[in-house]
Structures are given as C-alpha cells and as structure tokens.
Amino acid sequence: MSANHKIWMLLAGCFLAFLLSYKFAFEKTILLSKEVSQLEQKAIGLSEMASLNMQLSQREKQVDSILASNNLINTSIQNGLLNFLNEQKTNSSIQIVAFEEPHRNEDENGVLVSYSFNLTGDYDDILNLVYKLEQELSFGSVTSLKLKTKRDYKTRRTLLHCIIIIENVTSRSSLD
C-alpha cells in the first residue's frame, strides 16, 4: 500500500468515526440541549403567566370593590337585580310573577337596556321596593311603574299587580 492510499484510508476512517460518533453521541446531546432550551422558554412563559395572573386578580379585587361601593355585588346588572328582588321576596309579601328578558336599544350615543318585571304584593311593600331601587341602588332609573288591582276569584282576594321597568344607559365609549 502506498502512502497516498494510507492517507485516504485514514481520512475515510476519521470521517466514518465522526459520522458514527455524531449519530450515537452528538445528535442526542444536541437534541437534549434544544429540548432544555424549549423547556426554559416554557418556564419563563409560566413565570410570566403567574405574574399576569397575580395582576389580573388584583384588578378583579379593584373592580369588585368599585362595584361593591356602587351597591352592585355581581358584575351583571340583571343578576344583581334578580338577587335584590329575591332578597326582597323573602323579607316581605312581594312575589315575583315574571322577569322579562332585557331589551337593548343601541344608537350612536350608547346602549339603553330596559329590564321589565312583574310583581304582586302589598302596596307598602311595593312602594318600599321601588324606593330602594330608585334611591339606594344603582341598577338604573325606574322609568315606568304601573299598578293594577286584580280580583283573584279562587281565593276571593284583591291582589295588587305591579309592572316595573328599569332603564340603564351605557355610553358607547365604555363598551369599546
């Protein structure tokens, strides 16, 4: 064998040794280092998510305190109104006959939402409920109050029926 042939064999052997070592050792090391870097990125993302979660919980507490100061316990006016009516139902002779779906009217100035519900009960209890809705709570303004007396022939009693409409105006800028 000539020296030139030995050099080519040595180079081919080195190249083959490099390919085998890459296949069995270096490739796994490179893949593991890529996986470690991806996991580190995910860990950074999770730590950012934890701080974002903490910020959101602080914002939620701040909004809840604002709603509580405005006598709105729930984030939804309809839910707050239903909770208030159920509370008044247990404390007085008022009964909720119907609670209609809110009516929404949108224009360029904002959104007008009307809540309509029917009640029966004593005149004084209904009057106290309307006073609390208008003066003490901020669900909106009472725009319509219709009182009717109806005779219940089964029980031979005269019942007072009340239809109340509350309107709440939301500006267009607060919706965007």
Side-chain angles (χ1 to χ4, degrees):
M1 257 197 214
S2 70
N4 201 11
H5 189 59
K6 288 182 183 179
I7 292 174
W8 281 108
M9 290 286 282
L10 180 65
L11 288 176
C14 287
F15 183 72
L16 184 62
F18 176 74
L19 286 178
L20 289 175
S21 63
Y22 175 78
K23 182 67 177 166
F24 293 114
F26 296 135
E27 183 179 31
K28 291 180 182 178
T29 305
I30 292 171
L31 289 176
L32 287 176
S33 72
K34 286 181 182 178
E35 186 177 345
V36 165
S37 65
Q38 288 176 350
L39 290 175
E40 286 174 349
Q41 291 293 331
K42 286 182 182 180
I44 291 171
L46 289 176
S47 66
E48 289 175 3
M49 292 295 268
S51 66
L52 181 62
N53 188 19
M54 188 171 63
Q55 289 175 355
L56 287 176
S57 65
Q58 289 173 350
R59 286 183 188 172
E60 182 182 6
K61 288 177 185 177
Q62 181 183 11
V63 168
D64 286 343
S65 68
I66 291 170
L67 290 174
S69 68
N70 288 330
N71 291 330
L72 286 175
I73 296 170
N74 292 330
T75 56
S76 170
I77 294 175
Q78 184 178 8
N79 286 342
L81 188 58
L82 281 170
N83 285 340
F84 172 73
L85 290 175
N86 283 329
E87 179 182 309
Q88 293 301 313
K89 182 177 99 171
T90 59
N91 296 337
S92 63
S93 66
I94 294 175
Q95 294 181 347
I96 302 170
V97 176
F99 193 93
E100 305 294 329
E101 278 292 316
H103 178 264
R104 296 175 55 93
N105 185 16
E106 297 183 25
D107 61 4
E108 63 275 354
N109 298 331
V111 178
L112 176 71
V113 182
S114 301
Y115 303 96
S116 175
F117 50 93
N118 301 346
L119 306 172
T120 60
D122 294 337
Y123 178 77
D124 291 334
D125 290 337
I126 290 176
L127 196 61
N128 286 335
L129 180 125
V130 171
Y131 177 79
K132 287 180 182 178
L133 283 174
E134 185 70 27
Q135 300 297 323
E136 296 177 8
L137 301 171
S138 56
F139 294 121
S141 61
V142 177
T143 57
S144 177
L145 176 67
K146 186 177 182 181
L147 296 171
K148 288 186 199 176
T149 56
K150 289 189 178 178
R151 180 83 175 155
D152 186 7
Y153 293 106
K154 291 182 181 178
T155 60
R156 296 183 183 174
R157 291 180 52 205
T158 302
L159 299 174
L160 181 64
H161 286 270
C162 176
I163 300 172
I164 301 173
I165 298 175
I166 295 177
E167 290 183 347
N168 185 359
V169 179
T170 307
S171 66
R172 184 61 91 183
S173 62
S174 66
L175 292 175
D176 296 332

